[in-house]
């Protein structure tokens, strides 16, 4: 049965590709931010200024959680979904496809 | 039906191991974008951990302060525009005591804040120079004037008692 979602997916075939690229761009930006935070924290620590290091650490940790969250939204792609053994509904679909 | 699932399972398992250990070289060098994204998240975790270590070091294991006054040498041992390196007992950090043209004495760590090369006072210029990558520091307060060093030189306070020169930890205002 076709529904809104499948129609959408059929008409925008590039969507997953774009989402994946966007996720990667965001991750790269986040990692760049973290490198900068680490570098700055190190410099201030060696200059005997401890406040910066603590703040930078919490900032860095927050960014890491954001990155981990983004991984959750990584689109799986159709091929992987089809082979998914852990989702009963997808398995049924799969069986139908094989008949 | 059971057999069907088993077949799918077998096929799946085969795919899983051949993803991890592909026998075609081409597949082995191929890093998918999903793997790349996951690796970025891992790197992000590593950087957060690194920041945590820096914060722990800053808060729980701070750098030891110089305590007490330490005799370095007599005034006449250092000519105007000259310098003398020394270490303080109980630590292995090299320091540099310089005699500026205006008659004042200054003491700094001798390690460049860039990559720890040893710095020297360039006579008549008011500048401390690092020869490794042309770093320049202001001799009167240790601040960076030019070059790659990211921080100013750590300073010690010089105390002149009669003819003798002592160093001690910097007072709060001068930091
Ligand atoms: S080590 Fe001093 S400028 Fe690089």
């Amino acid at each position: 049965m076709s529904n809104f979602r499948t129609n959408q997916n059929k008409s925008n075939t590039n969507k997953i590709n774009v989402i994946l690229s966007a996720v990667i761009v965001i991750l790269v930006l986040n990692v760049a931010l973290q490198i900068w935070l680490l570098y700055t924290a190190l410099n201030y620590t060696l200059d005997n200024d401890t406040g910066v290091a603590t703040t930078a650490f919490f900032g860095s940790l927050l960014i890491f959680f954001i990155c981990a969250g983004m991984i959750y939204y990584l689109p799986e792609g159709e091929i992987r979904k089809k082979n998914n053994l852990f989702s009963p509904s997808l398995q049924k679909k799969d069986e139908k496809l094989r008949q | 039906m059971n057999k069907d699932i088993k077949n799918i399972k077998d096929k799946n398992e085969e795919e899983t191991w051949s993803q991890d250990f592909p026998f075609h070289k081409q597949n082995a060098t191929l890093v998918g974008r999903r793997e790349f994204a996951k690796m970025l998240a891992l790197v992000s975790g590593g950087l957060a951990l690194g920041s945590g270590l820096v914060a722990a070091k800053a808060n729980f294991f701070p750098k030891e302060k110089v305590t007490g006054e330490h005799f370095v040498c007599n005034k006449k041992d250092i000519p105007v525009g000259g310098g003398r390196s020394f270490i303080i007992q109980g630590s292995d950090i090299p320091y540099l005591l310089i005699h500026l043209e205006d008659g004042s004495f200054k003491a700094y760590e001798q390690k460049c804040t860039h990559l720890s090369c040893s710095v020297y006072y360039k006579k008549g210029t008011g500048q401390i120079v690092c020869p490794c990558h042309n770093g320049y520091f202001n001799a009167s307060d240790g601040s960076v004037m030019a070059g790659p060093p990211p921080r100013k030189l750590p300073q010690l306070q010089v105390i002149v008692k009669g003819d003798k020169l002592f160093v001690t930890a910097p007072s709060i205002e001068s930091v």
Side-chain angles (χ1 to χ4, degrees), chain B residues 112 114-117 130 132-135 148-149:
Chain B
C112 177
H114 179 221
L115 293 175
S116 298
C117 280
C130 174
C132 285
H133 316 103
N134 285 334

Side-chain angles (χ1 to χ4, degrees), chain A residues 70-88:
Chain A
M70 305 249 40
I71 288 302
Y72 179 78
Y73 288 107
L74 268 189
E76 280 242 309
E78 293 303 320
I79 300 161
R80 290 188 189 213
K81 264 189 206 159
K82 247 185 246 162
N83 288 329
N84 194 341
L85 275 174
F86 303 105
S87 149

Side-chain angles (χ1 to χ4, degrees), chain B residues 21-103:
Chain B
F21 305 102
F23 39 74
H24 293 301
K25 193 176 179 188
Q26 194 187 8
N27 295 346
T29 50
L30 190 91
V31 178
R33 286 190 297 169
R34 285 177 191 83
E35 279 85 66
F36 180 59
K38 285 173 190 166
M39 198 203 59
L40 280 176
L42 191 73
V43 170
S44 161
L47 285 169
L49 189 75
S51 281
L53 291 179
V54 172
K57 169 91 174 72
N59 288 307
F60 305 122
F61 311 99
K63 197 175 161 189
E64 276 175 36
K65 291 237 157 61
V66 175
T67 51
E69 292 178 6
H70 300 265
F71 172 70
V72 182
C73 62
N74 291 321
K75 251 183 172 177
K76 61 175 189 324
D77 293 340
I78 308 179
V80 173
R84 183 192 178 101
S85 59
F86 64 96
I87 51 169
I88 290 173
Q89 254 185 5
S91 100
D92 51 5
I93 302 171
Y95 291 96
L96 178 69
L97 181 64
I98 54 180
H99 192 173
L100 295 182
E101 278 75 10
D102 64 2

